[in-house]
Amino acid sequence: MRKLVPSIAFNAIVPFVVYLLVRSHVDSEATALAIAAGIPVLFTAAIFIWRKRIDPIGAVAVVAYAIVLALSILSGGSPLLLKLNDAVLTGPFGLICLASLVVGKPLHLVVHEFVARRKGTEVSPFVHKAAPVITGIVGTMLTVHALAMLFMAILLPTETFLALSRVVGIAIIAAGVGALFWYRRRVSLPATRS
């Protein structure tokens, strides 16, 4: 986690500062948001070139940025879509997790079964027991994150949204991760790879 803190801080603070600096020099809010949201892309590229490794948070930011930028351009430069940079990934993935519960195939178990088949091993009984709860926690966390970002993007001015969205998003993710750790300790799951 200590290794991820600088990346989280960079991805949270720098785009906000860049937006504030750039906004008065460009013709639209969407352009300023596109420039500011592009900062994590440059950060990820610099880390890859320098260290020859991908920053996972930066990589997610790159994918989200590419999707949102394309959608924004196709919609005529919507600043709302650019505000929803992270929610473009968290929302659909959260809904996929919750839908997998509805159809009786928790995504957590499906992933473990896929990996076990490739390795020629069996899925632990603990994973079978915990998969619905873990999938539910992850799905709920990501869906709540996306909904919070959507409501904030609609209701708040851009500067306020940029100042608060990362803090709120990190708090929601931290609550979800805390719930996962609490559940794992409660059911005494052995240390398994997820």
Side-chain angles (χ1 to χ4, degrees):
M1 190 63 186
R2 267 182 266 137
K3 291 180 180 179
L4 295 177
V5 169
S7 177
I8 291 169
F10 183 87
N11 287 305
I13 296 167
V14 174
F16 172 66
V17 172
V18 168
Y19 174 83
L20 293 177
L21 295 172
V22 169
R23 179 60 187 107
S24 61
H25 301 291
V26 295
D27 60 345
S28 74
E29 183 178 4
T31 302
L33 279 168
I35 293 168
I39 297 301
V41 175
L42 296 175
F43 181 66
T44 300
I47 285 181
F48 178 71
I49 291 167
W50 185 37
R51 296 184 183 167
K52 301 288 190 238
R53 72 174 178 84
I54 298 287
D55 169 32
I57 292 175
V60 170
V62 169
V63 172
Y65 179 74
I67 292 169
V68 167
L69 188 60
L71 290 173
S72 180
I73 291 169
L74 291 173
S75 71
S78 169
L80 177 62
L81 290 171
L82 289 164
K83 287 182 185 180
L84 296 175
N85 197 1
D86 299 336
V88 166
L89 295 178
T90 60
F93 189 68
L95 292 174
I96 288 169
C97 287
L98 296 176
S100 75
L101 289 175
V102 172
V103 299
K105 293 282 189 183
L107 188 58
H108 186 258
L109 180 58
V110 170
V111 169
H112 274 276
E113 288 174 341
F114 175 78
V115 171
R117 274 194 305 274
R118 292 188 58 105
K119 290 183 174 181
T121 61
E122 293 290 320
V123 176
S124 158
F126 290 106
V127 171
H128 279 281
K129 177 182 175 185
V133 176
I134 291 173
T135 301
I137 291 171
V138 170
T140 301
M141 168 186 66
L142 296 176
T143 303
V144 167
H145 174 272
L147 289 172
M149 295 304 109
L150 176 62
F151 287 124
M152 289 174 62
I154 292 170
L155 299 173
L156 298 175
T158 300
E159 292 84 0
T160 308
F161 172 81
L162 290 174
L164 295 177
S165 64
R166 296 291 181 185
V167 174
V168 171
I170 289 169
I172 292 168
I173 300 297
V177 170
L180 286 171
F181 280 116
W182 171 83
Y183 177 73
R184 188 172 178 143
R185 294 186 107 195
R186 183 173 172 264
V187 296
S188 300
L189 285 174
T192 58
R193 290 180 183 168
S194 300

